[in-house]
Amino acid sequence: MKRKWAGTLVASVLTMSVVLSGCGSSESGTKATPTGTDTPKQAVSGNKVTIKMAMWDVNASFIDFLSAKVKEYSKVDPNVNVEVEAFKNDGDYLKAMKVRLSANEMPDFFELKPNFINDFKSELLPLDDLSTTAKNKYAKKYAVDGKVLAMPTVQFPEMVYYHPSIFKELGLAVPTTWPQFLDVLNKIKDNKKYIPYAMGGKDAWPDYPFNEFMHHLTSGDENYLSNLATAAHPFAEGTPFYKAYSKIETLYSAKVMGPDPLGVSWDQATGLFESKKAAVVAAGLWYLDTYMSKVGNADDLAAFPMPVRDSESEPLTVMTFTDHFYAINKNSKNTEAVKKFMEWFYSPAVHQQYVDKVKLGAVIDGVTANVPFLNDFYKNNKITPFLYVPGNQKYTDLINATQLDWKTVGQDMISGKKLSDISKQLDDKWNKARDAKK
């Protein structure tokens, strides 16, 4: 999945060497102070050390915020300098980190997506003994071989954004089941005034709410992806994959995504939505910040859960994603200093400012993000959260061996490729890869 900080901007690398001593700064408009009773008070040693921190984000203002935040650590430990290296998208970031991994030049403290953890697990320091690990509500969910190797900083639900004014104009009710969802989109299409759904299919990744998440949700099993590695025919008729993709095939064949959904990029598609030429678009909470930056307000914006269920008697499950994991390089020369920095980085006071700035949900016990749009979403919808858990090493190996990309499969389906053919091809590739690894 690609998201705000994994967008399609041309990659560029911003390296910011932040010399902390004597350079403290503060954030205006925030509620928490930069230091608290749960932050380390003493220097790790009398020697000056430098912590190299690597991360990515396409949002320049967030990079500025994080850089300023990191400077405040000088008030906690004047003997520590932190150098922040920021990448503009996760694809280039991942490539760079893999090169450094092979050269044994990994940074001391670095960011990961949940599905990156397996690729770097041999280099990660277990975090089980950190006090902040016990306070992180999601850390243990992503343990590898019983050890917490990386911890998320945010969580957020996936949503279907819409313009209430269009729904009111056309007399549409918010759908809560898949048949209702299709009915709403078809009615918008029949009216001919608006594009029902803004799909940026040219970029492939915008179909992730359907092609990457729906079969996972349909399975009802957060560990579904790992279990795929042991299934003989995981894509055959009757499987969660086939049930979900049958719905997706119906959606794509309804032609409710404009005249050329594969010729439109994500930026173009969301531009249509933001200018009210399109009525609906699906994305995570991360899109809210982008929308606000372009439109200036959320006066005509609301969201409902993706209604994957067939009937209202079933739970309304919502994919919940965790992201911005951070880990410590076990080969760092400054592991004790990095551990103390990590304790501070995840402390409630700092975490409160972090989630308020990025406008996403909190992961630390006792912290609630001040994001009214998110709080209203939870208040107005009776949902059952469903946590995205990436596949294990066996699953990752099979994905790599078959070069399976859910989003590319989605593009094939939008172009008209039949599910029956896709199912057979995937099953054949999967079983050959499994046999080759026996």
Side-chain angles (χ1 to χ4, degrees), residues 18-38:
V18 183
V19 181
L20 301 179
S21 181
C23 298
S25 65
S26 62
E27 291 289 313
S28 61
T30 52
K31 295 184 176 181
T33 55
T35 58
T37 57
D38 51 352

Side-chain angles (χ1 to χ4, degrees), residues 235-278:
F235 309 110
E237 286 190 55
T239 62
F241 168 86
Y242 206 95
K243 291 177 181 176
Y245 271 54
S246 294
K247 293 179 179 177
I248 297 169
E249 186 173 54
T250 302
L251 171 69
Y252 291 165
S253 63
K255 307 298 182 185
V256 292
M257 297 177 172
D260 186 17
L262 291 175
V264 178
S265 69
W266 168 254
D267 287 344
Q268 291 170 318
T270 50
L272 292 170
F273 178 73
E274 289 147 10
S275 62
K276 286 186 62 177
K277 294 178 180 176

Side-chain angles (χ1 to χ4, degrees), residues 164-326:
S165 64
I166 294 179
F167 274 47
K168 183 179 180 180
E169 176 186 345
L170 302 184
L172 302 172
V174 171
T176 63
T177 68
W178 186 258
Q180 292 174 7
F181 183 53
L182 292 180
D183 184 59
V184 163
L185 295 177
N186 277 313
K187 285 179 177 175
I188 298 172
K189 183 182 74 170
D190 292 344
N191 180 267
K192 298 181 180 179
K193 184 175 181 180
Y194 305 103
I195 296 171
Y197 187 97
M199 170 62 82
K202 185 177 180 180
D203 289 329
W205 66 266
D207 65 33
Y208 79 84
F210 306 110
N211 290 87
E212 187 168 8
F213 284 168
M214 274 186 60
H215 58 120
H216 200 162
L217 281 167
T218 300
S219 74
D221 179 5
E222 292 178 342
N223 295 308
Y224 162 76
L225 296 179
S226 294
N227 293 333
L228 283 182
T230 61
H233 299 285
F235 309 110
E237 286 190 55
T239 62
F241 168 86
Y242 206 95
K243 291 177 181 176
Y245 271 54
S246 294
K247 293 179 179 177
I248 297 169
E249 186 173 54
T250 302
L251 171 69
Y252 291 165
S253 63
K255 307 298 182 185
V256 292
M257 297 177 172
D260 186 17
L262 291 175
V264 178
S265 69
W266 168 254
D267 287 344
Q268 291 170 318
T270 50
L272 292 170
F273 178 73
E274 289 147 10
S275 62
K276 286 186 62 177
K277 294 178 180 176
V280 169
V281 67
L285 179 64
W286 55 266
Y287 174 60
L288 174 64
D289 196 35
T290 302
Y291 180 92
M292 292 290 290
S293 68
K294 294 182 178 179
V295 179
N297 61 71
D299 295 346
D300 192 19
L301 183 72
F304 57 85
M306 176 69 77
V308 174
R309 63 182 181 178
D310 291 315
S311 73
E312 294 181 346
S313 63
E314 303 170 27
L316 186 55
T317 54
V318 171
M319 183 63 82
T320 301
F321 205 82
T322 52
D323 210 343
H324 285 268
F325 286 65
Y326 277 91

Side-chain angles (χ1 to χ4, degrees), residues 16-207:
M16 293 161 286
S17 298
V18 183
V19 181
L20 301 179
S21 181
C23 298
S25 65
S26 62
E27 291 289 313
S28 61
T30 52
K31 295 184 176 181
T33 55
T35 58
T37 57
D38 51 352
T39 56
K41 300 295 185 184
Q42 302 297 322
V44 177
S45 70
N47 300 323
K48 295 278 187 180
V49 299
T50 296
I51 295 173
K52 294 187 177 181
M53 175 179 177
M55 51 81 72
W56 73 85
D57 203 293
V58 300
N59 189 328
S61 69
F62 179 74
I63 293 173
D64 291 343
F65 158 79
L66 191 63
S67 300
K69 195 75 247 167
V70 166
K71 288 181 181 178
E72 294 176 5
Y73 191 62
S74 64
K75 300 174 183 176
V76 179
D77 192 340
N79 287 328
V80 175
N81 294 334
V82 180
E83 291 184 355
V84 177
E85 184 179 16
F87 290 71
K88 277 290 189 179
N89 68 61
D90 63 347
D92 290 290
Y93 175 85
L94 181 60
K95 289 177 184 175
M97 290 303 113
K98 286 190 172 180
V99 169
R100 295 180 193 184
L101 178 64
S102 63
N104 196 27
E105 295 178 350
M106 292 295 292
D108 302 292
F109 186 63
F110 56 99
E111 188 174 3
L112 295 169
K113 295 182 76 65
N115 54 328
F116 292 176
I117 297 174
N118 274 326
D119 290 334
F120 295 92
K121 66 179 182 180
S122 63
E123 304 300 308
L124 305 183
L125 185 75
L127 307 174
D128 302 89
D129 62 335
L130 269 63
S131 64
T132 193
T133 303
K135 299 173 185 174
N136 193 305
K137 293 182 282 189
Y138 300 93
K140 291 184 178 178
K141 198 76 177 180
Y142 296 88
V144 177
D145 300 329
K147 297 178 180 178
V148 174
L149 301 178
M151 291 194 293
T153 56
V154 296
Q155 57 83 20
F156 54 86
E158 292 292 323
M159 301 173 164
V160 182
Y161 294 90
Y162 71 102
H163 293 299
S165 64
I166 294 179
F167 274 47
K168 183 179 180 180
E169 176 186 345
L170 302 184
L172 302 172
V174 171
T176 63
T177 68
W178 186 258
Q180 292 174 7
F181 183 53
L182 292 180
D183 184 59
V184 163
L185 295 177
N186 277 313
K187 285 179 177 175
I188 298 172
K189 183 182 74 170
D190 292 344
N191 180 267
K192 298 181 180 179
K193 184 175 181 180
Y194 305 103
I195 296 171
Y197 187 97
M199 170 62 82
K202 185 177 180 180
D203 289 329
W205 66 266
D207 65 33

